[in-house]
Amino acid sequence: MRLRLTPRDTSFFDLLAASAAHLVTGANLLAELLGADRPTRKALAKQMSDAEHLADEATHQIMRRLNQTFVTPFDRDDIYGLASALDDCMDFMEEAADLIVLYKIDELPARVADQVQVLQRSAELTAEAMPRLRSMENLAEYWVEVNRLENQADKSHRKLLAQMFDEITDPILLMKLKEVVEKLEDAADAFEKVANMVETIALKES
Amino acid sequence: MRLRLTPRDTSFFDLLAASAAHLVTGANLLAELLGADRPTRKALAKQMSDAEHLADEATHQIMRRLNQTFVTPFDRDDIYGLASALDDCMDFMEEAADLIVLYKIDELPARVADQVQVLQRSAELTAEAMPRLRSMENLAEYWVEVNRLENQADKSHRKLLAQMFDEITDPILLMKLKEVVEKLEDAADAFEKVANMVETIALKES
Amino acid sequence: MRLRLTPRDTSFFDLLAASAAHLVTGANLLAELLGADRPTRKALAKQMSDAEHLADEATHQIMRRLNQTFVTPFDRDDIYGLASALDDCMDFMEEAADLIVLYKIDELPARVADQVQVLQRSAELTAEAMPRLRSMENLAEYWVEVNRLENQADKSHRKLLAQMFDEITDPILLMKLKEVVEKLEDAADAFEKVANMVETIALKES
């Protein structure tokens, strides 16, 4: 066990965990939205927007705390980076949900559900990993699995693009769908970025 | 008043203010370009490109000075980040102007003027705030207002996208307009990023 | 000559040079792919994907070494940033190659070959420059030339976009080509980012 010569504000772990918990809500709302009819989608997109505001508030709370705290549990810039990266995951998921409603997209290709499942799993893994930053233990399985999920999501995203360009003949529908699936791919990338940051932090602290 | 035990090169404030002044020029040229006919647009895009070169030169001047100066008025990386972020605002505005001319777009949706107005106001606020970095006083009103403007711009951007997809039936025109309005949204984001950096710097120094 | 009071792990230079060597392979494969027929393209895209995996592995090797090394030849964050930036160059080139195959694009506009030539030249310059980080000598010619190439690539990219929108009437083909040429432009930007990082490192160390 390492001795802590200075007291450190451990509540950063709780704040990061709270921030990641909003991502689970967001990914689940996104999955629900895919299967819903148009009026329900609108209500779910509103819930998604609320979740995004809560995540935003959680990020700002971390930033404020960071600026008031002299000794942080790990590198200040890394906490800042992690909080921003968690926020990005939410922003992309919220944008995807909003675009589905704004563009009045009736039917989404089946593979989109696979993309969203990856996001749900990534969000769960991320939320479970945040509290483990306290002990820096058992984090490798998290970042390895999120990297694996992102590789899978990337392959599936490319196949989906090829399929969409093969099958959809209405260019305007194609533009709409392409933008939605790209936001979902951006969200998967953002989860991977969080995992890579956690890896770097864990290796530095080890 | 804080004592300064080491002399600090205060001209960084002048350089950052000069850099931000180019953004006001750029945003105003963009507003003029929207209302102009095609030959005038071409001339204005040329002026925009000149303003972008001046902004670029101002950024490089800051970078060179940074590398020659031992004691900086605030964190070296923050000055670097701020100069780069100011440069990004200009790059996106210049790209938007250039695309309008390159794509020979005759008419832009009315809401585009709202987007550009937000950029003009953000540029003014940014240029007024830079000299206040010297005293670190009265900066909160600046970053709060730019964040508010960006939120407004984001909402307006999404409504504009939905409207464009509803009303424009020519997919190629839609592609052109979408790219222009996205560059304007990128510019609004870039101004927000500058404001967030100023907030972080001010909180660190307080 | 500067005295080194602490021994430093110089193999970072070799690792960065190895990483940059993959970029030369990637850019050359991309050039070959442009001139090939469809079945050969598929084989070349597979080779490109292998090169991307090797580059990825080289990046991870740098990261792992970074986390095991106490004294680094220059700022730890700069090595991290440089390794990531080199990796980005490869990712964009691999994506462009993959999209050409996925979208079954038969013919690419002639200017695309110019874009790829710039990438080949940038990759060679980058690979030649990495070993010179050891002595920090003769680096200015590298970053000046890559910046010049990127400016040229940017101008050529905009002309190409204007030309494509003028000449191509099939909106779906236009979407496909636009995505490919944008990935190539992203790759040129990524090479410029590497050069700018090298400039910053060299000025700090001088």
Side-chain angles (χ1 to χ4, degrees), chain B residues 38-167:
Chain B
R38 211 190 271 181
T40 320
R41 275 187 183 171
K42 212 161 175 173
L44 289 166
K46 175 73 186 65
Q47 284 182 50
M48 190 77 176
S49 165
D50 294 343
E52 194 268 329
H53 285 305
L54 290 174
D56 216 36
E57 184 42 47
T59 311
H60 277 100
Q61 219 182 322
I62 296 173
M63 301 310 183
R64 276 196 303 272
R65 179 72 58 94
L66 208 46
N67 287 308
Q68 297 157 353
T69 308
F70 191 68
V71 183
T72 53
F74 49 89
D75 191 69
R76 182 177 298 271
D77 283 347
D78 288 337
I79 299 178
Y80 184 94
L82 205 47
S84 300
L86 288 168
D87 204 37
D88 287 345
C89 301
M90 193 68 194
D91 286 350
F92 289 123
M93 293 195 294
E94 191 273 332
E95 266 185 86
D98 201 34
L99 287 173
I100 293 171
V101 174
L102 274 181
Y103 288 164
K104 308 188 184 79
I105 298 173
D106 281 316
E107 217 182 324
L108 288 142
R111 275 183 206 270
V112 173
D114 299 345
Q115 282 193 297
V116 173
Q117 255 180 27
V118 165
L119 296 179
Q120 286 180 284
R121 189 73 196 114
S122 299
E124 283 163 17
L125 289 166
T126 307
E128 286 164 20
M130 288 302 117
R132 298 207 297 274
L133 281 168
R134 201 185 294 266
S135 63
M136 292 286 167
E137 276 163 17
N138 305 318
L139 284 166
E141 58 201 70
Y142 149 67
W143 72 64
V144 169
E145 179 63 7
V146 170
N147 269 281
R148 196 191 62 76
L149 285 168
E150 199 282 329
N151 279 338
Q152 180 192 315
D154 186 48
K155 282 210 186 79
S156 154
H157 171 67
R158 292 186 186 196
K159 272 189 201 140
L160 173 52
L161 274 186
Q163 185 197 358
M164 278 164 44
F165 273 91
D166 268 350
E167 294 175 5

